[in-house]
Every structure is written in C-alpha cells, then in structure tokens.
Amino acid sequence: MAAPGAAATDLEVVRGKRAALFFAAVAIVLGLPLWWKTTETYRAPLPYSEISGLNALQLRLMVPVTVVFTRESVPSDAQEKLPFTVVHEREIPLKFVTISQSGSFGWTSLISTGMWTYFRNSPPVIFGIQFLYDKMKIKCRFQKAYRRALDHEEEALSLGSMQEAETMLAEPQEQAEGSLTVYVIPEHSSLLPQDMMSYIGPERTAVVRGIMHREAFNIVGRRVIQVAQAMSLTEDVLAAALADHLPEDKWSSDKRRPLKSSLGYEITFSLLNPDPKSHDVHWDIEGAVRRYVQPFLSALSAAGNFSVDSQILYYAVLGVNPRFDPASSSYYLAAHSLPHVINPVESRLGSSAASLYPVLNFLLYVPELAHSPLYIQDKDGAPVATNAFHSPRWGGIMVYNVDPKAYNASKLPVRVEVDMEQVMEVFLAQLRLLFGIAQPQLPVKCLFSGPKSEGLTTWELDRLLWARSVENLATATTTLTSLAQLLGKISNIVIKDDVASEVYRAVAAVQKAAEELASGHLASAFTASQEAVTSSERAFFDPSLLHLLYFPDDQKFAIYIPLFLPMAVPILLSLVKIFLETRKSWKKPEKID
Amino acid sequence: MVASCFLRKCLTALAGLLLLSFGSLAASQIEDQTEQFFRSGHTNNWAVLVCTSRFWFNYRHVANTLSVYRSVKRLGIPDSHIVLMLADDMACNPRNPKPATVFSHKNMELNVYGDDVEVDYRSYEVTVENFLRVLTGRIPPSTPRSKRLLSDDRSNILIYMTGHGGNGFLKFQDSEEITNIELADAFEQMWQKRRYNELLFIIDTCQGASMYERFYSPNIMALASSQVGEDSLSHQPDPAIGVHLMDRYTFYVLEFLEEINPASQTNMNDLFQVCPKSLCVSTPGHRTDLFQRDPKNVLITDFFGSVRKVEITTETIRLQPDLGNMESRYKKEWMDEELMEPLKYAEQLPVAQIIHQEVTGHQMLARW
C-alpha cells in the first residue's frame, strides 16, 4: 500500500523538481535577456571612429593664384620656362598671434614675440597649433600657376591708368571664389606710381612689379605671396575665426570678437527720439536701405540670409545722464559710461521677438533739446569724430546732433531731416567691424584701391568665407566630439535613427568641406561647412536626447525588488533544495559503500 | 654738521620721491595688469530663475524668485535674457488679499511683482523636463524665443532655484523631483556644448548644499542656503497676507543686492558672507573648487548685472552720395502734402442697405 503512494509522491517530487528547474531555466534563459534587451536605451549605431578621426583632421586651405607675366616683366630666358606651377605651403601658427596681440605677460610670450619679429619675412614657423583637446592643424597652401599674359591682358596692362586696366581685364572671365589673379608688370611700368611695388584691386586682382634678375621667379614669387596673403588668408583672419575654440586668451582684445557664424542674420535699424516735443525727426530709412545697405548685403549674401527691418521709438532715453562740458558748451558721454547705455534701451527694442537668427541692432539717437549737442568722448576726453560706438555681437549706436541753425526761426517741434548718407557710412562701417571684416594688413609699398561702392571688396568676402568655413568646421567637429563623449559618459541617452542619420550627414559634410578646401573650391566648401554645422547642431540638440530616466542605484533596487523578488525567491529556494537533495543522493551511495 | 644733515635730508627726500614715482608707475602697471588678468571673459549675461513650489502657503518661494528677478533686471539684464519659471501664480491667486502684488517685506514695504514681470514658464509648464530642456537647449523647434536659453560660450549664467528640497533632490510641483546627479549631468551637457562661460548656481531650499555636491564640470560656483541635514527657514510672516513672505537666506541676499548698482566693484566674497548663522539659523555653504578665478576677483555684476563691452567706432566707409536724392525728396514732400487732407475711415457697414426702407427719409441719420 505504501509503495504506490511513495511512488506517487516520488513522481510528484520529480515532477516538482523538473518544474522548478524549468521555471528557473525559463527565467534565466528567456527572462533575463528579455529584461535586459527591453530596458536598454536604444542607440542607433554612430560612426565613433570617424568622429575621432575628425579630431586629427589636417585642414589644408588652398588658395589658387594665377600669376600672369607680361612681356618684359622678367628676363626672357625665365619666360621660356612658363607655364608651370609652384606651391607654397606653410602651417598657420594660430596660438602665436593671440599672445602678441593681447599683451599678456610672461617670458614665453616675450620670447615668442621676439622670435616672430625676427623671422617676419621667412616662412619657418616655430609654433604648432594646439586646440583644446583637438589636434586640428591648419596648413595654408598657395598654388601659384604661372603663365604668360594673353594679348588682351598685355593691352590692358599697357594702358595709362589702373582703372582703365581693371575695366578691361574684368570683362572676359569671372573669378571663382577664393582664387586670385596677380599680374606682373614690367619693373619700370608707369601703371603704378613710382614708389609703389604692388597694387591690390577691389576685385580679385592684384598687380606686382616684375624684376629683371636671375632669380626673378623667386623674388617675384615672394612678392606675389605677400600680396596674396593680404588678400586671402592671414593668421589674424583664422585666429579671429577660431578665437572661441582656442584654449586660453579670455583676456585677449575683444576687438576680435566677430559675430558667430550663423545661417542668417537680422538687422534692425532703430531711430530713438526721446523728445518728440522738440524734434520732429524724419528719416528716409527705406531709401537708405535700398541705396546703401542692400548693395552691401547682397555683396555679403554668400555668407548668409539677411533680413532688414526698422522702427522708430519715441520717449526712449539712454540710461546715462550726459555731463555738461562748459568749455565747448556741449554735453558729453564719457567712455566709461558707455557700457551702461545699452541695457535700458535694449528692453524696448523688441529684438527678441523677431527671429531665431542673431540680431544686430543699429540705433540712431537724436538727443533731447536739453542735452543738445551731445558728443561721445573717448578715453582721452576728445570727442569722437563719428559720434558712434558699437558693442561686439550686439550692434552699434550713433548720436545724431541736430543742426543748431534749425532752431533759429521755427517754433518747436523742429523738423529734422536725417542725413542718411552720413548715418549709413557709420552704420556700414560698424557692420563691417561686427562681421570681423577688418582693414587689411597691406604689405609695404602697396597701393590699395579702396572698396567698391558697396563698401566691400570681393576678396574681403573671400576672407570672410575662409574664416567662416574654418570656424564652421571647428564648431561641427567639437559638437560631434562632445556628443560622442556625452554618450560615453551618460549611459541613458537615447539615439534615434534620425539623429544617427544627422550625425552621419554631418561627418560626411565635414569630410567633404575639408576636401573642397584642400582643392581650393571656396564656395562649395563653405556650403558644405554650413551643412555640417546645421546637421551636427540638429543632432546634438535633438529634443529626444534628453535623458529623463536617470535612476541612481538605490532607486533601481527600489523599483526592481518588488517586481522580481516575489518571483525569484521561490525559484531560488527550490533550486537550493534541489541542489542539496542531489548532493545528498550522491553522498548516499558512498555511505552505503 | 649742518651740511651733512642737509645732505642726508636731501638724499632721503630724493629717495622718497623716486620710490613714490616708481611705486606709482608700478601701481599703474599693476592696475593695468590686474584689470586685464582678472576681467571675466564674458560678453553677455543670462539668468534662469526657477520657483518650483505651488500652493498658496509656498508664497515665499515665488517671492524669493521674484526678488532675485527684480535685482537682476535692475542691474541690467534684459527680459530677453532672463528665463523666469514660476510654478504658481501668487499675485492673482484668489487667496491673495492684495491682488496683483507679491510682497517681500512685511507691512507691504516692497512689491516685487512690479509692472513689467515677464514670466516665461508658468504654473504647470514648470517641470523637470522643461527645466532640463531649457538648460541643455534640447527644445522642440516650435518654442518661442523667450522660452529659450540662447547662451553661447561667452555667457555668464546665473541659475537660482528655490522650493522644497531634501538630501540630493529638489521637489518640483509636488509631484516630481530633480536629483543632484541629473543637475550635474545637465551642467556637463551645457559645458560640452560650451553653453556657458561661467555659471553661478544659487539654491535656497532645505539641505541645499546636497544639490551642488555632485557637480563636476568646470567654471561653476555654487551657493546654498543650508548644509546637508539642516533646514532653511523662512523669514517673517505677514499677518495681513497670512503667509511667510520670504526665506531668510534670500531675504538677506536681496538686502545685499539692493546696495549694488551696475558700476559697483563688490566681489563674491561679500556674497559668501551674507546671512551668517546668527541671522539665518542654517549655515549657508558655497563651493568654489570648480571655478577657475579667485572669488575675490569675481564681481557681483559679472553674474547679476549685464555690463557690455563697447568700442568707439573710429572709422567710416566712403559712400557715394546718391544723385537721385533730390528728386526723391521732392516727390516725398509732394506725397506728404497730398496726405495732409484729413483721413477718414472707410464705410464700415452698408447701413443704408440694411435699413433699406428708411433710406430716403432718414439717410442723414443712418450715415453718421
């Protein structure tokens, strides 16, 4: 009787063991991986190796220069060798320039300044470039293609004056962005004034004197390089572009703080009239924008989209009380009070509502009758000629004094017609400074024709595009690198597929931009660099990256224990029991033995 | 004897004069040096002010935030650069006996609500997610500009948080929390993308010091109203309003800030001394190890105010005067004169047709 019962319980026990083992197997083999897979954060694959490769990217900026030799500019045996190509390459010492211009102290900077002045005219460069944690190096390559002059060029360059020569030369071809053409004229040609060795024109052309010498090509080549550097890439252009990425130098001059590269800009012209009772101010802003600003902005249009608007604000006062200067019986604003002028006015400008692009504000302030005339004084106490000041990355303010003769006959309010040309001269100059288009550093004995009527020469635009391309590439690289670092540091960030595709696109665009820069195609390099920046920013700032699911370890336990413990305890206990029984059954035969 | 005495006097006078001139030269050089070295490298200022508690009895948290907002605006930061997050509306709360006001001092001495408060995130929009989105910049594209923190790598940001907190967390809206690790990670994300130059973090909650323990990004300075294990206490109740108006720490900070003007040279060490234990009952703490500059060289206005760098414009460009100027001017004057006739509105309603039957008799009446 007991045997079948025992057999039944045996069977049950065996079944129980098998069931427990089965549960445990399912839990461990199926459950654990399933739980692991469903609770991991989704990360689409990203090209980490390529991103770290971007750090070590060697940027080569190529400037294609065409050097055209006229007859008699170099000895005829030298002319036999034309056409050929010479490449001049140098590494740009970015870190150096910032030291010299900031006037910081210390022995290393003194030595570096000394060494630079000594080595001024020779290419060897002492300093490499270090950039934060990026080892981006920049090499500048001038590819000079020497050739003989064509007939119409010979004719043009034998004309009497520079302007005529230029108009004749400009007709046939349109220069690609970033490229330059340098014409070499005979040593004693009268096209240039006697003491001038070279000339830089408003389009992408320059003229250099040749020389009748054995080493003609070397000498002329050096002159060409000097001129080409002034027109395209110099250290300060690139240093200004990369100022935000270089490690030290927070106390370098803020003059070199141009606007950050962006897809578009919004320019706002505001007329501030604090005293409408006395001044009835009219300004023909639409006409002025059409005549002066639009040509300038269309010359700059390669650098971004611009939109212009204007407004008139009444009863808007500056935040600072001007002081009275009895000597000139006028009012003045001292230089140290200027920083406090902007803040009270800014809240009324309404610039924040306009668009997501950076906004540049240009304010024209007509002082009140009680404070007229108002002059701005510089640090030495002398009145400023332009009566204007600007703030980097914000805009500019100009004070417009009403002509005192207007008060004579008429009663208040006096009608004031603003002279828009004078105003726009200042505003456009400020706009140039805010964009970082500084006056070029000309080589010695060089004649500069001055900008065209728009206020911008084409090679200044090229310099801006070079600077912007390099800046965009640096920004895109740091964004991608910091995204990769973040993903390593914070494990809960989700990367969706579209974010991953943006990252791939950004990496491809950076590589394409670097290639285009190395082959000298500035326009396509600039568009590729802009695309790189937009894609990388879109990937980094995608709203889906926000990790909200941070669980510190004790909270993780607090969540998982009530879920898993009730299930795990019986399984574990039964496993332990099975193990102990199996061990006992192994030992039993020994004992009997 | 006399001669030697005289000579000695002369020599000492000469030496004194030389020393003085040398000293002044050195001093001016040193001044230039110090000015250059210790100047902060920022070009703009931002402020993110967060009040995380709702309900009427947490009036003091809203008053705290509004008083910091008021100081920051007074010292020059414009509304476009302030992100103000208030979790509840106290000024228009039905329980407020003085509507449209939020007082910070009893007997209604100081109304911090003022006339031009611009609240960017209000009531239920103040959540941990929105706060982190503002900090890290991961905002949906449809967000208006006033709700974004558009700082760059040259911005100094002031972040002020107040509410109820505990050891390692801050309570938002009575329903969720932000932990100190999340906050530290958010700051790290800001640093990676270079969204700030320097950051000042002030927190006025119970056990506030726990919130800055986990920071690991550079250039952050943090102040808290109490240490771990201590409670921050409120300042004074107002019997007319019926609630506590301010917290002690922020009350004394506000008093300190009221004496600062945009040109003042007060530095951070003075801010660290605000509200000692005798006044505050809790021990305020601060953390400066992540900050690169020495706190005594950091001006209060570096974070609370907004001083711009300006340059005099010394150059102009030559523009060609437009010869078509004269004609357009004449045209404009003529157009102006044309417009001198009185303007009137267009007919709004075809009243005559509506009151069709009375057109003939009452036409004048209809066409007023």
Side-chain angles (χ1 to χ4, degrees):
Chain A
M1 288 311 140
T9 44
D10 258 347
L11 196 62
E12 297 231 348
V13 165
V14 168
R15 256 199 217 144
K17 273 192 214 166
R18 280 205 201 122
L21 282 174
F22 189 65
F23 280 137
V26 164
I28 293 175
V29 170
L30 274 182
L32 218 58
L34 197 69
W35 166 71
W36 189 258
K37 194 83 177 60
T38 48
T39 52
E40 73 173 4
T41 47
Y42 177 69
R43 292 256 176 105
L46 288 182
Y48 291 111
S49 54
E50 288 178 37
I51 293 177
S52 52
L54 289 180
N55 270 343
L57 194 65
Q58 184 105 351
L59 265 193
R60 269 204 186 81
L61 306 174
M62 193 181 88
V63 184
V65 182
T66 313
V67 187
V68 179
F69 286 91
T70 54
R71 285 186 298 262
E72 335 246 318
S73 52
V74 282
S76 40
D77 53 338
Q79 291 226 359
E80 301 289 308
K81 297 191 207 151
L82 294 172
F84 63 95
T85 309
V86 173
V87 169
H88 177 95
E89 189 168 305
R90 45 192 283 263
E91 228 171 66
I92 305 263
L94 293 167
K95 197 169 181 188
F96 154 79
V97 175
T98 54
I99 293 177
S100 76
Q101 289 201 5
S102 72
S104 71
F105 310 85
W107 287 112
T108 48
S109 60
L110 279 178
I111 292 176
S112 59
T113 328
M115 284 172 107
W116 178 252
T117 46
Y118 176 65
F119 280 118
R120 178 91 206 170
N121 291 318
S122 68
V125 162
I126 301 96
F127 311 95
I129 306 107
Q130 266 113 45
F131 245 44
L132 285 175
Y133 23 80
D134 306 334
K135 302 268 190 308
M136 213 176 189
K137 293 189 196 298
I138 299 195
K139 279 201 176 134
C140 181
R141 187 191 182 105
F142 290 97
Q143 183 160 304
K144 298 178 287 192
Y146 290 4
R147 67 170 171 87
R148 274 202 205 98
L150 303 171
D151 287 331
H152 73 274
E153 290 168 345
E154 293 271 357
E155 212 185 300
L157 289 167
S158 50
L159 288 173
S161 80
M162 212 54 228
Q163 278 81 359
E164 293 169 4
E166 277 190 321
T167 34
M168 246 196 104
L169 287 170
E171 277 149 25
Q173 22 143 309
E174 194 51 55
Q175 292 261 0
E177 270 106 351
S179 64
L180 296 170
T181 307
V182 183
Y183 296 97
V184 186
I185 55 175
E187 199 172 349
H188 303 289
S189 161
S190 57
L191 199 55
L192 290 178
Q194 270 313 104
D195 50 342
M196 291 293 172
M197 295 300 291
S198 48
Y199 165 83
I200 295 183
E203 304 281 341
R204 299 178 179 102
T205 55
V207 173
V208 160
R209 281 194 196 278
I211 193 164
M212 288 295 186
H213 193 274
R214 229 165 12 102
E215 295 290 322
F217 280 145
N218 284 347
I219 300 174
V220 171
R222 270 205 291 274
R223 285 185 197 156
V224 165
I225 288 293
Q226 274 184 349
V227 165
Q229 272 181 2
M231 289 171 81
S232 63
L233 292 170
T234 46
E235 292 87 7
D236 53 340
V237 166
L238 293 174
L242 293 166
D244 297 330
H245 294 268
L246 293 176
E248 25 105 44
D249 263 347
K250 284 197 184 161
W251 29 80
S252 72
S253 162
D254 293 319
K255 290 190 179 86
R256 285 189 297 105
R257 205 178 297 286
L259 281 175
K260 283 175 84 77
S261 166
S262 154
L263 285 176
Y265 300 92
E266 170 104 18
I267 301 182
T268 307
F269 292 103
S270 309
L271 172 67
L272 270 64
N273 186 358
D275 197 5
K277 286 197 295 291
S278 321
H279 300 131
D280 179 24
V281 187
H282 290 256
W283 69 341
D284 179 24
I285 187 67
E286 286 133 8
V289 164
R290 204 179 48 238
R291 274 198 302 275
Y292 304 119
V293 181
Q294 276 305 120
F296 185 83
L297 292 181
S298 43
L300 260 187
S301 60
N305 302 326
F306 291 94
S307 64
V308 181
D309 38 55
S310 68
Q311 59 180 343
I312 304 183
L313 290 175
Y314 293 104
Y315 293 106
V317 289
L318 299 179
V320 179
N321 271 331
R323 302 256 181 89
F324 183 66
D325 179 24
S328 53
S329 68
S330 63
Y331 290 85
Y332 69 93
L333 283 173
H336 61 83
S337 62
L338 292 178
H340 306 288
V341 167
I342 298 181
N343 285 325
V345 162
E346 188 176 0
S347 54
R348 299 201 49 189
L349 288 177
S351 55
S352 59
S355 75
L356 287 177
Y357 289 146
V359 180
L360 285 173
N361 295 298
F362 292 100
L363 273 57
L364 184 66
Y365 182 72
V366 179
E368 332 155 292
L369 186 56
H371 288 146
S372 288
L374 180 61
Y375 296 108
I376 297 179
Q377 279 187 358
D378 59 11
K379 277 198 289 280
D380 310 319
V384 174
T386 55
N387 223 12
F389 64 98
H390 61 274
S391 175
R393 295 194 180 172
W394 183 79
I397 298 185
M398 178 177 173
V399 177
Y400 185 84
N401 287 317
V402 175
D403 192 5
K405 291 199 283 291
Y407 293 123
N408 285 342
S410 41
K411 56 181 182 357
L412 302 174
V414 165
R415 189 187 164 91
V416 179
E417 264 312 321
V418 176
D419 177 14
M420 292 312 293
E421 187 197 328
Q422 177 196 358
V423 166
M424 280 302 163
E425 281 181 356
V426 175
F427 280 164
L428 285 180
Q430 286 179 340
L431 191 57
R432 275 172 62 110
L433 286 172
L434 289 169
F435 268 100
I437 306 171
Q439 296 291 12
Q441 283 168 334
L442 301 171
V444 287
K445 295 196 195 161
C446 183
L447 181 65
F448 177 44
S449 71
K452 300 189 294 195
S453 59
E454 287 109 37
L456 188 70
T457 63
T458 37
W459 48 267
E460 279 176 336
L461 174 66
D462 287 348
R463 274 156 66 107
L464 189 65
L465 291 183
W466 287 115
R468 285 292 163 85
S469 309
V470 172
E471 185 189 338
N472 285 346
L473 285 183
T475 311
T477 310
T478 39
T479 307
L480 290 170
T481 315
S482 45
L483 181 62
Q485 281 181 348
L486 262 182
L487 290 176
K489 223 179 245 172
I490 302 175
S491 53
N492 280 321
I493 298 185
V494 174
I495 300 283
K496 294 196 304 198
D497 289 329
D498 50 349
V499 174
S501 63
E502 291 286 341
V503 174
Y504 275 104
R505 203 179 305 158
V507 170
V510 170
Q511 287 165 343
K512 176 167 176 243
E515 272 170 30
E516 297 285 334
L517 280 178
S519 51
H521 304 133
L522 183 55
S524 50
F526 181 67
T527 32
S529 70
Q530 274 191 328
E531 201 193 307
V533 166
T534 4
S535 294
S536 59
E537 299 263 315
R538 223 181 281 150
F540 192 94
F541 285 123
D542 192 80
S544 67
L545 258 70
L546 194 64
H547 65 292
L548 284 178
L549 309 171
Y550 186 83
F551 292 128
D553 290 332
D554 47 353
Q555 292 189 16
K556 267 198 191 119
F557 281 124
I559 290 179
Y560 286 135
I561 284 179
L563 287 177
F564 288 133
L565 205 59
M567 179 187 77
V569 168
I571 293 183
L572 279 174
L573 285 180
S574 56
L575 277 179
V576 166
K577 214 167 85 165
I578 291 170
F579 177 64
L580 287 175
E581 281 181 5
T582 346
R583 216 172 48 161
K584 235 193 285 180
S585 67
W586 287 338
K587 279 196 182 154
K588 246 193 190 167
E590 289 181 20
K591 256 177 136 178
I592 292 177
D593 269 349
Chain B
M1 192 62 178
V2 176
S4 68
C5 198
F6 180 65
L7 198 60
R8 213 183 303 148
K9 275 199 198 136
C10 250
L11 278 175
T12 44
L14 197 62
L17 209 66
L18 274 177
L19 206 64
L20 201 66
S21 61
F22 180 66
S24 67
L25 191 67
S28 67
Q29 263 190 0
I30 289 175
E31 257 181 50
D32 281 342
Q33 280 188 29
T34 51
E35 203 199 300
Q36 269 205 324
F37 268 125
F38 300 133
R39 227 176 46 188
S40 159
H42 71 281
T43 57
N44 53 32
N45 284 80
W46 285 81
V48 179
L49 310 173
V50 184
C51 159
T52 59
S53 336
R54 49 175 38 242
F55 307 131
W56 170 247
F57 49 83
N58 289 323
Y59 183 102
R60 59 189 185 280
H61 298 139
V62 173
N64 286 350
T65 318
L66 284 173
S67 47
V68 176
Y69 173 77
R70 171 205 149 78
S71 311
V72 147
K73 261 181 84 157
R74 190 177 56 81
L75 290 173
I77 303 187
D79 271 316
S80 53
H81 284 227
I82 303 179
V83 177
L84 178 62
M85 305 171 79
L86 295 180
D88 201 357
D89 183 8
M90 298 304 171
C92 299
N93 195 305
R95 291 170 74 168
N96 191 350
K98 309 274 174 208
T101 60
V102 172
F103 293 110
S104 62
H105 288 60
K106 67 176 179 196
N107 300 326
M108 289 166 252
E109 277 169 23
L110 184 57
N111 174 18
V112 290
Y113 200 65
D115 285 336
D116 56 349
V117 172
E118 189 183 295
V119 183
D120 299 306
Y121 286 85
R122 59 193 68 187
S123 87
Y124 290 107
E125 292 170 358
V126 179
T127 57
V128 174
E129 178 183 348
N130 281 347
F131 176 61
L132 290 179
R133 284 192 190 280
V134 164
L135 284 185
T136 54
R138 304 222 166 87
I139 293 188
S142 57
T143 318
R145 198 182 165 118
S146 60
K147 283 187 169 178
R148 291 175 187 247
L149 178 64
L150 295 169
S151 57
D152 53 27
D153 58 308
R154 289 277 182 240
S155 309
N156 276 8
I157 308 186
L158 165 72
I159 299 186
Y160 176 83
M161 302 183 75
T162 182
H164 288 289
N167 190 354
F169 66 91
L170 173 60
K171 183 175 76 160
F172 265 69
Q173 301 261 16
D174 216 25
S175 63
E176 50 181 2
E177 305 161 350
I178 184 171
T179 53
N180 48 6
I181 304 180
E182 277 179 347
L183 198 57
D185 284 341
F187 286 161
E188 174 65 15
Q189 294 191 42
M190 288 174 80
W191 173 250
Q192 287 289 340
K193 195 59 184 69
R194 295 289 181 278
R195 275 165 69 77
Y196 67 89
N197 176 35
E198 287 168 347
L199 202 111
L200 178 64
F201 177 75
I202 305 184
I203 184 159
D204 188 353
T205 62
C206 303
Q207 307 194 51
S210 63
M211 290 303 283
Y212 61 64
E213 274 171 1
R214 301 289 197 121
F215 292 164
Y216 54 94
S217 318
N219 287 351
I220 301 185
M221 194 191 301
L223 282 101
S225 59
S226 55
Q227 302 291 335
V228 175
E230 286 180 352
D231 288 338
S232 287
L233 301 179
S234 58
H235 187 57
Q236 18 167 247
D238 185 324
I241 302 191
V243 284
H244 286 262
L245 294 181
M246 282 272 270
D247 278 332
R248 282 177 191 240
Y249 183 70
T250 312
F251 181 80
Y252 290 108
V253 167
L254 174 64
E255 262 189 19
F256 173 79
L257 288 175
E258 289 284 305
E259 288 161 25
I260 309 275
N261 57 52
S264 76
Q265 300 286 311
T266 332
N267 58 40
M268 277 295 164
N269 275 344
D270 302 326
L271 188 58
F272 294 159
Q273 309 302 325
V274 161
C275 206
K277 194 167 163 98
S278 53
L279 287 174
C280 254
V281 184
S282 57
T283 320
H286 54 92
R287 177 176 179 181
T288 52
D289 58 320
L290 294 167
F291 204 73
Q292 275 176 10
R293 294 189 290 153
D294 194 352
K296 73 170 185 291
N297 299 322
V298 179
L299 300 177
I300 299 282
T301 50
D302 279 349
F303 288 103
F304 284 90
S306 168
V307 181
R308 309 255 182 186
K309 316 264 193 257
V310 297
E311 274 165 43
I312 309 276
T313 312
T314 47
E315 43 194 54
T316 59
I317 60 178
R318 188 72 48 86
L319 290 175
Q320 279 148 13
D322 195 36
L323 292 170
N325 212 359
M326 305 304 279
E327 292 173 32
S328 65
R329 212 180 278 175
Y330 279 136
K331 216 167 151 187
K332 193 159 181 280
E333 278 183 34
W334 175 71
M335 270 169 46
D336 270 335
E337 284 183 34
E338 231 192 62
L339 292 172
M340 282 310 180
E341 301 166 25
L343 302 168
K344 62 185 203 308
Y345 282 104
E347 295 290 339
Q348 303 286 321
L349 282 176
V351 179
Q353 283 147 22
I354 294 174
I355 319 180
H356 187 67
Q357 50 274 38
E358 294 176 48
V359 157
T360 45
H362 301 267
Q363 210 168 20
M364 292 310 286
L365 215 63
R367 283 247 186 132
W368 56 275

